[in-house]
Amino acid sequence: MTGRRWARGVVLGAVLGLLGPTAAAQDAPWLAGEPDPLRGPTLPFTAVEAAPVRDGAWRLLLTTSMWNHWKHSNEILAVHRSAWPERLPLTEADLAATEQRFPGRDLYWIDLEGSRTELVAIRGLPGGFSVSVRVPWLDHDSPASDGFVERYHVITGLGRQARDLFPRGEAHVYVAGDRGRIASLSGLDSAGLGDVSIAVAAPLGSWLGGVQRGFVAVEAPTGAAGTLRGSGGWDVGARAFSTWSWRRVELRLGAGYTRPSDSGTLLGAPRGELWHTALGFEAALGTRTRAVLTATYQRSPFASIAGGDIGHPALLLRYGLAHTTRRGVSLGLELGQDLRYGGVGVAPDTTLQLTLATSPH
């Protein structure tokens, strides 16, 4: 992770920390960010917009999500290894040779590092309603985390997974299916504003001993089209969440649907409708600290162009700690990793997410 990225997070975090005095203590938010770069150009699946905020009050959240994403088809690896057994980059010649040698197969190569930093401002309205705006900043500047992840895999016995055959710090997205093709081997290293979204949330009732809330959101094409920062099209989505609370434990369920506009693309490829689900569990470790565990299961953003692993839904496990200070500022730290079993698609190998939340008077 670069010093520039950490410096930005520290500065923005200090701004939130100095916004006091704050309201009563609140737990760090659930599903506060989207740590998957492949879902960055589309309305993200988050839950903070649905959190209740009293009439006339504000809630501000800052989230920085960082990731290292390394996934590939064995067919591409075999072709590249036979031709270039050194740390040489993946080329169009590699892709063409693989497609010729393995016709009709779903092929993919994903090598991404970066971060998504976003500020969410929520305003409480009468009747339990609220309105919010989300402003993301995406940074795909190829930080030096490849070497760290490679060493971690060696130490833990996971192996290098062919990382030693390619240069570090590359940014590639390649998918070839029977309904489309993406080949972005350059030009993905960039930073800038992402697609901004606005949401309206409302209470949905109290059923089966739980409390339900939901929201509808619209995302505008403010990010650069044709990149991992924006789609060039409008998105609409709906999300619903239910929470069951006991003395020291909370259980949460979530579901969502996203309809991308036909005018937008994912790196030039058509996008399809997306569905999202989540299961969360929190346990109190003290009066102000909680352990957090969340699993998200979402339709692949490549499902409209390819099947196989790359087109299957992805399962991402996120776990960490949430702490609320005496000033009412919530702090969250989450690690994440993909879980790949039969029929489960691709998500980032490793993620790190930092969250700050406060409710100034």
Side-chain angles (χ1 to χ4, degrees):
M1 288 166 282
T2 62
R4 183 177 66 181
R5 178 174 298 139
W6 278 110
R8 184 172 65 245
V10 170
V11 170
L12 293 175
V15 171
L16 281 182
L18 294 174
L19 284 175
T22 62
Q26 302 181 56
D27 293 331
W30 180 54
L31 284 180
E34 177 54 82
D36 191 335
L38 301 176
R39 291 171 170 81
T42 304
L43 183 68
F45 179 52
T46 56
V48 294
E49 294 92 337
V53 179
R54 72 177 186 278
D55 181 18
W58 285 95
R59 184 157 171 78
L60 304 176
L61 303 100
L62 174 71
T63 301
T64 294
S65 305
M66 292 159 277
W67 56 75
N68 188 286
H69 206 319
W70 173 263
K71 295 291 188 302
H72 56 77
S73 298
N74 290 329
E75 295 89 342
I76 303 176
L77 178 60
V79 170
H80 183 86
R81 178 185 281 126
S82 63
W84 310 103
E86 304 289 342
R87 280 191 182 271
L88 295 179
L90 189 70
T91 66
E92 289 284 357
D94 289 330
L95 304 183
T98 305
E99 292 175 11
Q100 182 178 12
R101 183 175 171 183
F102 302 97
R105 296 195 188 181
D106 290 315
L107 305 171
Y108 59 93
W109 190 278
I110 299 171
D111 183 5
L112 295 171
E113 308 152 75
S115 69
R116 178 187 179 102
T117 300
E118 53 192 7
L119 181 65
V120 181
I122 308 173
R123 175 72 170 182
L125 301 175
F129 287 78
S130 65
V131 61
S132 61
V133 59
R134 175 185 298 272
V135 181
W137 179 272
L138 288 97
D139 192 348
H140 298 278
D141 64 352
S142 294
S145 65
D146 267 345
F148 170 79
V149 174
E150 184 178 327
R151 289 191 294 272
Y152 169 78
H153 280 209
V154 172
I155 293 172
T156 57
L158 297 176
R160 297 183 184 274
Q161 298 181 351
R163 291 176 182 267
D164 55 327
L165 299 179
F166 296 86
R168 294 169 180 169
E170 295 290 301
H172 297 155
V173 175
Y174 165 70
V175 177
D178 59 353
R179 299 180 299 277
R181 185 179 188 270
I182 297 173
S184 294
L185 302 186
S186 63
L188 295 181
D189 298 347
S190 63
L193 180 69
D195 289 345
V196 175
S197 62
I198 298 176
V200 176
L204 300 180
S206 299
W207 301 86
L208 302 176
V211 177
Q212 291 78 39
R213 289 185 61 85
F215 68 89
V216 293
V218 177
E219 186 175 77
T222 53
T227 72
L228 288 174
R229 304 199 317 269
S231 67
W234 292 80
D235 299 340
V236 296
R239 285 90 170 93
F241 303 94
S242 183
T243 302
W244 290 266
S245 301
W246 294 274
R247 181 179 179 184
R248 301 180 64 85
V249 173
E250 282 190 353
L251 177 67
R252 294 169 175 172
L253 293 176
Y257 169 80
T258 299
R259 176 64 173 90
S261 65
D262 295 334
S263 60
T265 67
L266 175 57
L267 297 177
R271 302 178 298 164
E273 298 177 350
L274 300 176
W275 51 261
H276 326 262
T277 59
L279 172 65
F281 177 81
E282 292 189 9
L285 301 180
T287 57
R288 296 181 179 272
T289 304
R290 302 173 70 86
V292 182
L293 177 66
T294 303
T296 58
Y297 188 60
Q298 305 185 60
R299 187 172 191 253
S300 169
F302 301 113
S304 60
I305 64 174
D309 288 347
I310 195 67
H312 289 160
L315 180 61
L316 181 68
L317 183 67
R318 298 160 60 173
Y319 48 92
L321 297 173
H323 179 75
T324 304
T325 69
R326 294 183 181 277
R327 288 173 55 84
V329 177
S330 299
L331 309 172
L333 171 63
E334 284 185 326
L335 300 176
Q337 65 184 64
D338 67 324
L339 299 178
R340 299 198 69 191
Y341 301 100
V344 176
V346 297
D349 296 72
T350 55
T351 68
L352 172 65
Q353 181 168 293
L354 307 173
T355 303
L356 298 95
T358 186
S359 298
H361 286 304

